[in-house]
Structure formats: structure tokens, C-alpha cells
Amino acid sequence: MDEILYTIAKDSEGNFFTALSASKGKIYYCVNCDNILILKKSGRVGPRTKRPHFAHKSLTRNCQPETALHYGFKTLAAEKLNQFLQAGAEFNFYWTCEYCSEVHKGNYIKKLKSVRIEYDLKYCRPDIALLDENDDIFAAVEIVVSHKPNDQALNYYIQNKIILIQINLTSDDDIYKIEQKLSEPHLVKFCLNPKCSVCDNFQQKYIMSIINGKCWKCYNQVKVALMKDGADKFLFGPEKFTPREIAFAKERGVNIDEYISGLTGEQYNANLCRQCRTFIRRFSKLRNYFNYASEENLPIQDFLIRYNCRCCAEKKISEDDDWAQNLKW
Ligand SMILES: [Zn+2]
Ligand SMILES: [Zn+2]
Ligand SMILES: [Zn+2]
Ligand SMILES: [Zn+2]
């Protein structure tokens, strides 16, 4: 992290100014320690001129620019959320989900009825609390400059089903990017997929892709089916389809049949070319079709088939020797 400068201050009435919106000759105060700040804005640019910032008029101990940045950002971010709330405008944010790997989209004001700063929850005090129509907190926005939320707070959020939205600040410039920072949080402890009824973890999507391609052997038209997750990651082929999924694929023109290895005798379901009776088996061949299709070279149709709990699926596999055997490729 670069050196953090003071880029936020307040006037005698408590209105916030950034180093860019403040004007010279006026008196400003530190948002953290209330001492007088001087605006430093040279108007010059160049490698050795500092960006506009404030400095304490007299030497001040016990005041850190990180703390001022944290406080300033938090206050302006809450203001920004309030503006969207008053205007009734959508305020979308995006995150890569740590549970299912998909990129999700949320809307800050969907359930929002009020925004509170330093809302006291007894066990913790989120930087910004988002409250619903019952005055219950449903999300906590934590602004991280140097201190991450502590474990006590994290546990409290999890236990009380409060969504943690974490925004990491890396520069005092972030004070000018409130909206952008809010729309791209560093971490959101939430998934839009339903939870598993057994273990309460978020589930991943199983999406069946049916690809129109050519048989790798005879070059005739062939339809192949495979499963991927919500983040477009190849998962498996018909060898792990349920009977219902096989029926589903067949109804859509896919030819699936049982492959029997002459070498090892093992048997599993695989995509099969109707013309030359060649199997398109397992990872390597099937993955090629998937890769071509993903690069938009082959027509592909996607169907959301079901939600799957990774956690419980892993348990099932370890309990079931046949499955464990099947997975060794
Ligand atoms: Zn200060
Ligand atoms: Zn997710
Ligand atoms: Zn589960
Ligand atoms: Zn063929």
C-alpha cells in the first residue's frame, strides 16, 4: 500500500470535503481527531509533487490517516447508499462467490429501509448496517483499511444470517471512488443458490449442456451431453448422470449408451455417435467438445438441471466405493 495521506476533512459545521472538493483559505478539521487541517494543493503536477491532501496544522499524535480514511469513507459510503435509497434507484454490486464460483449480482437497496453507521449490536459494531423494514439488520458493510473484522463479529454475522459485505481500501484515492468501491466489494459472504437441507451449505448449480458437433471419427452430426457448474466449469459426462438426466438428454436427441471397456471390463454411460457407434468418452474427448463450444464454435444449449451440495456429494463418494472407483481417471 502507498503512503496514506489525509484526503478527507470536515468544515466547522461537520460537512465533509475531499482534498479535491475543498478550497484553499478555508478552515477544515480532521474527521478523526478534530484538530485543524491545512489543505495542501499545489496545482502543480509531476513525479515529486504530492496529490492534493490535508495536513495537521500542528503536530498531532494519536491520529492516523488510515483511521481518518476509514471514517471518511464509511460516512460518505453511508451517504451514497442513502442517496440511492431516497431516489429509489437500483444500486447493484457484483462479486465472485466463494461458495459456487459464479459471479453474482446484488442490489443494495432491494430490502433496504435505513442505513446506520456504527450500529451497536452488543457483540460488534458494523461500519455500516443495512436495516430492513422490520428494523432488523440484514447486511453489514465493513470497510477495511488495515483491520479486518474480528472473528467475534464474523461469527455473529454468520449465526444471525447477516450478510457480510467487505470493502478493502488500498489508497487514499479510494475516497473519490465511493460508488465504484461499493459496487465491487472485495468479499461478500453470501450465495444466491439455495442451501443444502442436510448440511446448510450453499449448493452449486448443475447445468446440462447439449452440444451440436461432429463426431471426431466419422464427422457426422452428433449431439453430446455433459454437466457444468454455474461458473461454466466442466464437471462430468453421462457417466455420472442420474437415470432422469439420461432420459432428459435422450429426449433432446442425445444418444447415450453403456460403454464397456474390453481391457478392464468397467462399464459406464457415455455419449455415442449414431452413425459409426464410436463413443465420445470421459474427460479428454468430451472436454474438447466443451472447449470448442465455449469458444462459440459449436451451438450449445444449457439447462439448469438441479442444485448439488458439494459437501454432501463428497461425503457420499467417500462412503461409496464404487463411486470412488469411478472417479479415478
Ligand atoms: Zn487528525
Ligand atoms: Zn454463489
Ligand atoms: Zn450438504
Ligand atoms: Zn461417428
Side-chain angles (χ1 to χ4, degrees):
M1 195 190 295
D2 286 344
E3 183 197 3
I4 298 274
L5 301 171
Y6 288 86
T7 45
I8 185 91
K10 58 185 178 185
D11 64 8
S12 54
E13 277 151 29
N15 303 308
F16 277 45
F17 290 85
T18 64
L20 290 180
S21 67
S23 24
K24 275 200 155 176
K26 279 196 179 169
I27 295 180
Y28 296 100
Y29 300 90
C30 179
V31 299
N32 186 40
C33 72
D34 287 328
N35 284 309
I36 293 180
L37 291 181
I38 310 285
L39 175 63
K40 305 269 187 181
K41 192 148 65 167
S42 69
R44 280 172 288 143
V45 283
R48 279 203 287 163
T49 48
K50 275 190 176 169
R51 55 201 179 279
H53 65 283
F54 299 95
H56 288 89
K57 193 177 176 194
S58 41
L59 201 67
T60 316
R61 282 165 207 222
N62 306 326
C63 184
Q64 304 294 329
E66 286 82 1
T67 317
L69 174 63
H70 181 266
Y71 185 77
F73 189 96
K74 174 170 70 182
T75 310
L76 293 178
E79 239 168 54
K80 182 63 75 182
L81 288 164
N82 257 324
Q83 283 167 16
F84 275 87
L85 180 61
Q86 300 314 323
E90 270 186 26
F91 189 172
N92 294 326
F93 60 101
Y94 302 85
W95 74 99
T96 303
C97 178
E98 65 177 73
Y99 304 101
C100 76
S101 311
E102 283 177 59
V103 175
H104 292 313
K105 173 180 147 187
N107 173 10
Y108 278 109
I109 71 153
K110 195 173 169 199
K111 281 167 70 179
L112 188 61
K113 280 290 169 296
S114 62
V115 181
R116 303 279 173 79
I117 279 187
E118 311 230 317
Y119 189 62
D120 194 354
L121 289 168
K122 237 159 136 190
Y123 299 97
C124 55
R125 206 183 276 253
D127 288 332
I128 302 173
L130 307 183
L131 309 189
D132 64 16
E133 56 187 359
N134 303 317
D135 253 2
D136 288 328
I137 173 171
F138 65 91
V141 181
E142 293 284 2
I143 316 296
V144 172
V145 182
S146 37
H147 304 288
K148 288 193 174 150
N150 60 35
D151 286 346
Q152 193 181 6
L154 293 181
N155 288 335
Y156 185 85
Y157 296 155
I158 291 168
Q159 275 160 22
N160 292 280
K161 300 199 188 319
I162 297 166
I163 302 167
L164 167 69
I165 302 171
Q166 186 180 314
I167 293 167
N168 294 3
L169 304 187
T170 51
S171 154
D172 49 46
D173 265 358
D174 290 337
I175 205 75
Y176 308 116
K177 303 174 191 160
I178 307 277
E179 199 171 322
Q180 186 201 330
K181 282 287 188 179
L182 279 169
S183 65
E184 297 165 358
H186 181 253
L187 177 83
V188 176
K189 278 255 173 215
F190 190 64
C191 177
L192 298 181
N193 291 346
K195 281 186 163 182
C196 171
S197 56
V198 178
C199 70
D200 209 35
N201 281 307
F202 288 109
Q203 302 180 96
Q204 64 178 149
K205 275 181 192 154
Y206 270 13
I207 296 168
M208 188 188 290
S209 287
I210 295 179
I211 298 167
N212 276 299
K214 283 195 168 113
C215 170
W216 59 276
K217 198 144 196 192
C218 73
Y219 300 109
N220 276 303
Q221 285 289 321
V222 69
K223 273 189 176 187
V224 298
L226 56 89
M227 207 71 87
K228 65 179 181 181
D229 70 9
D232 262 339
K233 196 176 134 228
F234 179 92
L235 292 172
F236 50 80
E239 69 278 358
K240 284 213 250 167
F241 283 10
T242 64
R244 261 185 62 202
E245 287 157 4
I246 288 179
F248 183 92
K250 284 184 169 173
E251 280 163 25
R252 279 151 191 84
V254 181
N255 192 28
I256 293 174
D257 215 334
E258 194 166 71
Y259 168 81
I260 303 168
S261 163
L263 218 60
T264 61
E266 64 177 325
Q267 305 176 11
Y268 55 89
N269 284 310
N271 291 289
L272 174 70
C273 172
R274 284 179 208 281
Q275 270 82 19
C276 72
R277 309 282 307 162
T278 299
F279 283 98
I280 296 151
R281 290 191 289 129
R282 290 185 168 179
F283 271 16
S284 59
K285 281 263 160 23
L286 195 51
R287 193 191 283 275
N288 282 343
Y289 281 86
F290 178 67
N291 290 342
Y292 282 131
S294 307
E295 289 157 17
E296 292 174 61
N297 292 321
L298 296 174
I300 186 165
Q301 266 183 299
D302 287 342
F303 306 90
L304 175 59
I305 290 290
R306 61 183 153 113
Y307 288 96
N308 175 66
C309 177
R310 223 174 290 192
C311 171
C312 290
E314 273 160 22
K315 219 180 286 168
K316 185 172 181 291
I317 287 164
S318 62
E319 281 164 7
D320 187 332
D321 279 342
D322 286 347
W323 268 109
Q325 221 40 51
N326 276 345
L327 283 171
K328 282 185 195 154
W329 43 59

